[in-house]
Amino acid sequence: MTSNERAATLLRGMLRIRRLEEKLIHLAEDKTLIRAHYHLYVGQEAAGTGACSALRRDDLVFTTHRNHGHVIAKGGDPFRVIAEIIGRRDGYLGGRGGTFHVAAPEIGIPHTSAIVGGSLPIAAGTAWAAKLGRSDRVTVVFFGDGVMEEGVFYETLNIAQLWRLPILFYMENNSVTPEERPGRGSPTSSHAAKALSDIPRAFGIDTTILDGTRVDRVARAVGGLVARLRAGEGPLFVESRTTRWPGNYGSFPRLPGGDTEIGWAWDQAAPVEEVREWHAKSDPILLWARECERAGTLSRDAIVTIDREVREEIEKAAAAALASPPPDPRAVLENAYA
Ligand SMILES: Cc1ncc(C[n+]2csc(CCOP(=O)(O)OP(=O)(O)O)c2C)c(N)n1
Ligand SMILES: [Mg+2]
């Protein structure tokens, strides 16, 4: 892939997540389509997109309550993702999982848990299976900084290191200010550790701190880590730092400044005040658009065109998902175990 193609692929991948999730906020205004709580990945697109760009289709990914972005980044079809979220038959799980449980075994996402830390031991299990089967498939488990307060996190780290499992623990610390992103310590008010990255290091697990808003750096770094996992050097740990999008502070996601305008990459004064600084300093998509134009890998016109194409793709996917029927009530006992 040329550097221009790579720039376009990463931009398109991140925009697919952003446009899909903005669309979800609009769909949720009709209180019947998403009936309960839902969480968005807006602001963290560079982490999932960059990391998954370094994976093969048969590598395994585990995710969290913010799973939509990871599923899209691993190659999920936006139509089937939206259909799952709004509970329709064409969803990856036939509409039974919903927003908290979008999983897609055919692209390497066998399971999603919304229990904080719930995916970690299962991910260690698939890594162990790969090791026993002498396969070079790797497992990447994405999780939030909050997981480091859970007991299961410590048990999983311990067994993964004792058994040298081919797993990447990809911790998305979304509680970091722009100034703290490149730094070393990352204090949080809810953890006694001075730096979260000290914890895996105490287990002897090699740990990398990444600015999780920089898609190219994430892709390059994870590419190197995955090669090491395939060579038997696991487990490995990443702390990926992002700054929380203002729309993600309340109990339900909001669009305080409306849908993201791609032109804000150059017109940084344009967004409303509540989101202006975030888009200027912490929006991974606008940072990448600006960087590509500066480096000459994508022109402004090319960037605008990619955005228009992605918007059209997501509009079509949403229309098809809305046209998909609800699950057949007679199928309610399928896949149920008693
Ligand atoms: C075991 C458990 N405890 C509490 C919750 C409620 N809960 C849902 S998300 C969340 C915060 C998780 O923080 P973090 O892992 O940092 O993820 P973020 O939301 O910041 O992406 C909590 C406490 C839960 N789902 N599971
Ligand atoms: Mg968090």
Side-chain angles (χ1 to χ4, degrees):
M1 214 188 278
T2 65
S3 56
N4 307 50
E5 284 165 353
R6 208 178 114 74
T9 300
L10 293 174
L11 181 66
R12 193 180 295 277
M14 291 193 290
L15 275 168
R16 235 180 226 133
I17 300 170
R18 177 72 52 93
R19 296 308 181 198
L20 185 148
E21 294 203 312
E22 287 172 344
K23 185 71 190 173
L24 290 181
I25 297 185
H26 296 302
L27 290 177
E29 284 163 12
D30 169 331
K31 303 279 183 211
T32 64
L33 288 171
I34 305 177
R35 288 163 190 266
H37 202 46
Y38 65 106
H39 296 269
L40 299 187
Y41 197 57
V42 173
Q44 296 173 223
E45 293 95 338
T49 304
C52 290
S53 77
L55 298 178
R56 299 193 311 233
R57 189 180 170 91
D58 69 334
D59 289 325
L60 293 149
V61 161
F62 288 84
T63 166
T64 67
H65 56 292
R66 291 191 201 283
N67 58 66
H68 312 154
H70 297 134
V71 179
I72 292 291
K74 189 66 174 43
D77 177 345
F79 156 56
R80 298 192 64 194
V81 170
I82 299 172
E84 186 56 49
I85 294 167
I86 64 174
R88 299 299 167 88
R89 211 176 291 181
D90 291 301
Y92 273 107
L93 307 173
R96 291 154 174 255
T99 169
F100 274 111
H101 299 286
V102 186
E106 58 262 55
I107 54 165
I109 307 188
H111 165 84
T112 301
S113 175
I115 296 170
V116 170
S119 283
L120 265 78
I122 301 169
T126 62
W128 190 40
K131 183 165 177 153
L132 286 179
R134 298 181 197 286
S135 150
D136 71 345
R137 286 167 104 184
V138 304
T139 296
V140 178
V141 56
F142 292 100
F143 56 98
D145 46 297
V147 168
M148 296 183 71
E149 298 162 29
E150 297 289 333
V152 70
F153 169 80
Y154 296 87
E155 294 183 42
T156 306
L157 238 61
N158 187 49
I159 206 81
Q161 173 67 328
L162 286 173
W163 292 358
R164 311 299 311 211
L165 299 183
I167 182 169
L168 177 62
F169 294 99
Y170 194 103
M171 190 268 280
E172 299 194 47
N173 186 349
N174 56 2
S175 311
V176 178
T177 66
E179 292 69 35
E180 287 169 331
R181 279 205 307 266
R184 215 200 78 78
S186 60
T188 93
S189 54
S190 52
H191 209 291
K194 284 207 171 55
L196 294 178
S197 54
D198 287 343
I199 296 169
R201 286 178 181 144
F203 286 77
I205 299 177
D206 192 17
T207 299
T208 307
I209 297 176
L210 291 176
D211 182 337
T213 64
R214 300 289 182 166
V215 69
D216 54 331
R217 295 185 207 167
V218 172
R220 218 175 314 119
V222 174
L225 297 174
V226 165
R228 288 177 58 194
L229 290 179
R230 293 201 208 284
E233 290 180 40
L236 298 167
F237 195 103
V238 162
E239 178 186 350
S240 173
R241 296 178 176 176
T242 54
T243 301
R244 194 175 285 260
W245 170 55
N248 263 344
Y249 275 116
S251 51
F252 277 85
R254 297 179 305 122
L255 276 173
D259 290 358
T260 309
E261 292 289 339
I262 198 74
W264 294 346
W266 308 286
D267 186 3
Q268 292 175 38
V272 298
E273 193 183 344
E274 187 178 351
V275 292
R276 192 176 301 143
E277 187 182 331
W278 185 83
H279 282 295
K281 291 186 180 171
S282 304
D283 182 339
I285 295 176
L286 301 187
L287 290 171
W288 183 235
R290 221 176 295 145
E291 167 69 18
C292 290
E293 196 200 22
R294 193 197 55 74
T297 48
L298 290 175
S299 67
R300 222 175 260 211
D301 276 354
I303 291 166
V304 169
T305 301
I306 290 169
D307 181 48
R308 194 182 52 241
E309 288 169 356
V310 173
R311 282 176 190 253
E312 286 167 8
E313 178 192 353
I314 298 301
E315 281 305 322
K316 271 197 202 135
L322 284 165
S324 173
D328 182 347
R330 283 169 303 184
V332 71
L333 293 178
E334 280 173 18
N335 305 316
Y337 298 92

